[in-house]
Amino acid sequence: MTARRIVRVIDGVATQDGAGVKLRRSLGQGGFARLDPFLMLDEFSSDDAADYIAGFPEHPHRGFETVTYMLDGHMLHQDHMGNRGDLRPGDVQWMTAGRGIIHSEMPQQDHGRMRGFQLWINLPAAEKMKPAAYRDIPSAQIPQWTTAEGASVRLIAGEMQVGGDSHQGAMYGLSTEPLYADITLPADTALTVPVPATHNAFLYVFEGDLAVDQTGVPRHAAALLAEGDQVTLHAGSAGARLLLLAGKPINEPVVQYGPFVMNSREEIEQALRDYRDGTLAQDVATAG
Ligand code: MN
């Protein structure tokens, strides 16, 4: 077994998206800050409605998947296919934009805490133009267990073997084989988690203190892991809570223009034309 160490840290930077939602972006600040197949990770966290109330009014996507994980608060997703997703604490929304989706993501509260993540996972060329798909995963459907070390794991996607038990996440069977786990460690505990050697992987610590290989991991930053087949997480005296993310790299050119992520400039220009012409999200709009 080879322990993965931290090779690079991408700090989260304050930015805004949508109609002015304040968030912290680690992966996805630019082309230099991606980890194939992951394109972007945004954390939103605020007790001040002014930071989130404007939401994300109607906008398009093409060529990848977006995964929203709510920790606190209430958001409503609506898209051109007629899906309505009421996202509450602990819920996940897994949206495959494929050839095109047009949707909005709007807060359903005017006070209180809003906290969560949005992750963008790339699609290989062969899947970028597949029909859009959408899945709501209520909190109760996310496998969750406590390890012998006392760690609590919520497995949103992928498979995990810990303590001789094998667990399957709520999402699986995707070509990038994403592993998406929300791990809470009690104070002064350690947990070793297998991470497939074929995958790129990173950690995102958002509560408490965590060390890997005796190196402290900054909070609110993407800590990219070196090659290996497992990672050992050491929580400090405040405990720790983190996301562990891993995915099989696609190894194709990435050309991004805002909400469109394709393999070439020509494909981006096509996406812009399709959006302008109203055919971006055509696959279901032609029904009837
Ligand atoms: Mn969106």
Side-chain angles (χ1 to χ4, degrees), residues 119-132:
L119 175 73
W120 289 13
I121 310 176
N122 205 2
L123 286 169
E127 295 181 49
K128 281 187 178 293
M129 295 296 277
K130 71 181 182 182

Side-chain angles (χ1 to χ4, degrees), residues 71-82:
L71 297 176
D72 299 292
H74 183 191
M75 291 267 274
L76 176 67
H77 158 104
Q78 291 181 281
D79 67 35
H80 79 278
M81 298 182 284

Side-chain angles (χ1 to χ4, degrees), residues 2-264:
T2 308
R4 289 177 179 254
R5 296 172 177 184
I6 294 188
V7 284
R8 183 181 167 203
V9 171
I10 300 171
D11 287 323
V13 295
T15 185
Q16 291 190 16
D17 210 336
V21 177
K22 288 191 181 161
L23 44 82
R24 219 183 246 126
R25 181 162 295 162
S26 48
L27 292 192
Q29 294 164 34
F32 67 93
R34 296 189 186 115
L35 182 70
D36 189 9
F38 301 110
L39 299 164
M40 191 184 89
L41 180 68
D42 283 346
E43 177 186 15
F44 47 94
S45 177
S46 179
D47 297 316
D48 181 355
D51 290 343
Y52 58 73
I53 198 73
F56 301 87
E58 193 171 272
H59 62 277
H61 293 288
R62 171 178 280 182
F64 60 101
E65 306 191 82
T66 73
V67 183
T68 306
Y69 180 28
M70 291 296 285
L71 297 176
D72 299 292
H74 183 191
M75 291 267 274
L76 176 67
H77 158 104
Q78 291 181 281
D79 67 35
H80 79 278
M81 298 182 284
N83 293 305
R84 280 174 66 91
D86 237 338
L87 281 154
R88 293 176 185 276
D91 294 348
V92 168
Q93 173 206 89
W94 200 289
M95 194 186 82
T96 305
R99 74 156 282 139
I101 198 161
I102 296 171
H103 75 154
S104 62
E105 300 152 294
M106 299 302 289
Q108 302 298 301
Q109 63 190 53
D110 55 15
H111 64 278
R113 173 170 281 201
M114 172 81 73
R115 189 166 70 127
F117 297 95
Q118 189 169 89
L119 175 73
W120 289 13
I121 310 176
N122 205 2
L123 286 169
E127 295 181 49
K128 281 187 178 293
M129 295 296 277
K130 71 181 182 182
Y134 174 85
R135 191 177 155 194
D136 272 321
I137 308 169
S139 183
Q141 286 178 20
I142 296 172
Q144 177 166 352
W145 71 95
T146 302
T147 72
E149 297 83 355
S152 166
V153 181
R154 306 193 82 217
L155 193 56
I156 294 165
E159 286 170 19
M160 191 181 283
Q161 287 193 316
V162 283
D165 292 325
S166 188
H167 300 269
Q168 187 158 57
M171 285 295 289
Y172 51 91
L174 305 172
S175 60
T176 52
E177 300 171 18
L179 170 67
Y180 190 159
D182 171 2
I183 301 174
T184 304
L185 292 161
D188 303 313
T189 54
L191 178 72
T192 296
V193 182
V195 179
T198 48
H199 284 32
N200 286 331
F202 72 101
L203 309 174
Y204 191 93
V205 179
F206 58 99
E207 289 177 16
D209 300 309
L210 187 85
V212 171
D213 193 36
Q214 289 164 5
T215 304
V217 184
R219 256 174 304 207
H220 309 294
L224 278 44
L225 297 173
E227 291 183 0
D229 52 16
Q230 62 182 35
V231 62
T232 300
L233 311 167
H234 292 268
S237 56
R241 188 171 178 192
L242 66 139
L243 303 181
L244 165 63
L245 287 149
K248 203 167 144 191
I250 295 169
N251 294 314
E252 290 176 1
V254 175
V255 181
Q256 176 172 3
Y257 182 80
F260 307 123
V261 182
M262 303 300 290
N263 299 108
S264 69

